Amino acid sequence: MKTLVLIGGGHSHAIVLRWLGLQPLADVRLILISDVTHAPYSGMLPGYLAGFYSFADCHIDLRTLAKFAQAELVLDAAIGLDLQTNQVFCRQHHPIDFDWLSIDIGSTPATINIPGAQEYGIAAKPVPQFLAAWQRFIAQKFDRAISLGIVGGGAGGVELALTLQIQLQQLCPAGAAVHLFHRQPELMNSYANAVRRRFTEVLIDRGIKLYLNEVVESISLSSDQTCPQVAPDALKLVRCQSGLSIPCDQVIWVTQAAAPSWIRQSGLSTDEQGFILIKNTLQSLSHPHIFATGDIATMPEHPRPKAGVFAVRQGQPLFANLQRIITGQSLPPFLPQQRYLSLIGTGDRQAIGTWGNFCTRPSKLLWWWKERIDRIFMSQFPNSDSL
Ligand SMILES: Cc1cc2nc3c(=O)[nH]c(=O)nc-3n(C[C@H](O)[C@H](O)[C@H](O)COP(=O)(O)OP(=O)(O)OC[C@H]3O[C@@H](n4cnc5c(N)ncnc54)[C@H](O)[C@@H]3O)c2cc1C
């Protein structure tokens, strides 16, 4: 019997597993390797942080989904590939043989080698670690004004700044300041001008402090005596190359997406950042029996931002092409949409809608619509009660 191995329970693989449950592949052993039991759905993550959703609302239970798809679930992290022998190496599990492989493991913020970044900052990904660190931070009793630093002004950083500001203001009656650091002159570089302008306006209106063209070069503990009411070691100092230096109680990294080094080391063709280069059939450029989707993949013919919406869109075509390669058929190309609707929450049960260069104002109706779309997306996955 031949074996199809899926690494990572990202958005595309969740959809593939659902399809495999509905249309099982005959005589194929199916293995899912995942380092988590519950995969977060990115579209609802900011709403979860804002307290609008429960954990179950915005996490896909991979144990139930694997059971539905009749896949063996290996709860472990993949850490390498042998492309000569077609094996996946895991942190603990013995090597796993495959005939076909699909990789959907997302990305992590490029935390760069900045002094203090690891010790004194939290990376927004992996999401479970981020959520745990954030819960620990907000579990403290805040009897003084606090400040949060967010490094990275892409869509994720902007959405987090808007969401966490509201949460902190509720938790901390003495006041909460949010500082957003971005190395480029404008926020949200992959979006159209109108979208960038609208979000900049909203952030400024909401009193979020923007530091554009600022490159963070270190984070250290501060003994800032200008804040006498604060225990000296409670504050971190975010220093920028320009000399700017801002005290923050917590710092979150939402910088440019990065790929784990084992991907490049495995010998798969990658781009300069180490993401797997794929054809428009979602197959690796160098190894056609290996597929990749979501953030970890780069399609040079049709480059798109690293966003959950693309990982979702690739799910059904990935299932179709896996089915076709296994049954010896030719693979049709997948052409991602050029323009797409994006509904981005502003943390206050409102959302801004964007379509190409068109951008709305924050609207409660658009939040309602976004919530509906996201809940419909999540409702397609079986939960433990439904099996
Ligand atoms: C704060 C924040 C907010 C965001 N908000 C949005 C949004 O509103 N809309 C949007 O479209 N995008 C958003 N994004 C981007 C979005 O999170 C990603 O683009 C999306 O999650 C990518 O999906 P994926 O399927 O590639 O991988 P992921 O969703 O990251 O899933 C990868 C899975 O693989 C697992 N995994 C990783 N490594 C291994 C390994 N070695 N072995 C086994 N398993 C592994 C992970 O645990 C995870 O479950 C946001 C990002 C951040 C940081």
Side-chain angles (χ1 to χ4, degrees):
M1 191 185 271
K2 298 220 171 178
T3 305
L4 167 63
V5 174
L6 308 180
I7 309 181
H11 299 22
S12 318
H13 279 177
I15 293 169
V16 166
L17 287 161
R18 176 181 171 269
W19 278 106
L20 285 166
L22 298 171
Q23 297 177 19
L25 296 168
D27 300 324
V28 175
R29 182 178 176 209
L30 186 60
I31 299 176
L32 169 66
I33 305 172
S34 170
D35 59 356
V36 292
T37 53
H38 290 79
Y41 170 46
S42 58
M44 292 172 91
L45 205 56
Y48 173 61
L49 286 163
F52 305 151
Y53 304 125
S54 69
F55 181 88
D57 285 340
C58 61
H59 283 81
I60 300 166
D61 181 345
L62 295 176
R63 293 165 308 183
T64 309
L65 187 57
K67 199 165 150 197
F68 176 68
Q70 296 174 48
E72 294 162 43
L73 175 62
V74 174
L75 271 179
D76 203 348
I79 53 166
L81 298 176
D82 185 331
L83 300 178
Q84 307 295 322
T85 57
N86 283 339
Q87 283 187 314
V88 183
F89 300 117
C90 296
R91 191 161 287 144
Q92 281 159 1
H93 198 273
H94 57 75
I96 297 175
D97 297 324
F98 65 85
D99 295 284
W100 303 279
L101 179 68
S102 180
I103 306 177
D104 177 21
I105 57 170
S107 56
T108 49
T111 327
I112 342 166
N113 296 324
I114 290 175
Q118 314 270 355
E119 299 97 303
Y120 307 125
I122 324 175
K125 284 193 156 197
V127 173
Q129 282 90 321
F130 167 62
L131 292 178
W134 182 250
Q135 294 303 335
R136 276 197 303 279
F137 175 65
I138 59 170
Q140 297 172 59
K141 202 164 174 296
F142 296 114
D143 45 12
R144 59 172 175 81
I146 55 165
S147 67
L148 172 70
I150 295 185
V151 186
V158 167
E159 209 176 351
L160 270 190
L162 291 165
T163 303
L164 298 182
Q165 181 198 37
I166 293 188
Q167 191 184 28
L168 289 179
Q169 282 169 344
Q170 286 162 356
L171 290 171
C172 186
V178 176
H179 306 273
L180 181 58
F181 302 87
H182 189 54
R183 60 163 59 221
Q184 265 136 354
E186 282 191 274
L187 299 166
M188 300 174 70
N189 316 56
S190 55
Y191 285 78
N193 287 338
V195 180
R196 298 181 201 175
R197 275 199 303 272
R198 175 59 44 96
F199 275 94
T200 307
E201 256 168 50
V202 171
L203 288 159
I204 292 172
D205 276 1
R206 291 261 299 265
I208 290 172
K209 306 212 169 50
L210 287 185
Y211 305 96
L212 299 175
N213 272 325
E214 289 291 355
V215 179
V216 173
E217 65 170 13
S218 74
I219 306 181
S220 55
L221 284 183
S222 154
S223 50
D224 189 346
Q225 295 309 309
T226 59
C227 305
Q229 75 278 32
V230 173
D233 62 353
L235 279 183
K236 287 126 192 179
L237 209 55
V238 178
R239 285 182 208 274
C240 299
Q241 280 173 1
S242 65
L244 177 78
S245 166
I246 305 286
C248 293
D249 291 86
Q250 187 55 275
V251 183
I252 301 177
W253 289 92
V254 204
T255 42
Q256 223 185 344
S261 53
W262 62 265
I263 291 288
R264 175 176 277 161
Q265 286 157 7
S266 70
L268 285 170
S269 280
T270 60
D271 66 8
E272 279 173 12
Q273 284 86 41
F275 294 105
I276 303 169
L277 286 170
I278 55 166
K279 301 187 228 179
N280 55 19
T281 52
L282 309 175
Q283 291 165 286
S284 148
L285 274 186
S286 54
H287 295 78
H289 63 308
I290 299 183
F291 292 72
T293 51
D295 281 9
I296 195 62
T298 295
M299 198 186 277
E301 282 180 48
H302 306 284
R304 294 289 182 272
K306 305 271 178 218
V309 60
F310 295 109
V312 169
R313 296 264 163 83
Q314 289 170 329
Q316 204 284 333
L318 174 64
F319 166 71
N321 279 358
L322 287 169
Q323 210 180 26
R324 292 177 79 90
I325 201 167
I326 288 169
T327 51
Q329 301 173 62
S330 62
L331 309 189
F334 164 69
L335 303 178
Q337 277 172 281
Q338 243 177 7
R339 286 182 177 199
Y340 56 95
L341 173 73
S342 188
L343 296 170
I344 304 173
T346 47
D348 51 357
R349 289 192 191 271
Q350 300 196 79
I352 291 174
T354 76
W355 173 265
N357 200 29
F358 174 75
C359 184
T360 70
R361 291 183 179 284
S363 141
K364 286 196 176 2
L365 186 65
L366 288 178
W367 173 262
W368 173 85
W369 191 26
K370 172 176 166 52
E371 179 166 355
R372 209 175 135 71
I373 294 171
D374 288 338
R375 285 196 187 273
I376 290 173
F377 175 77
M378 287 300 288
S379 69
Q380 69 184 300
F381 300 110
N383 56 43
S384 46
D385 305 333
S386 59
L387 282 190

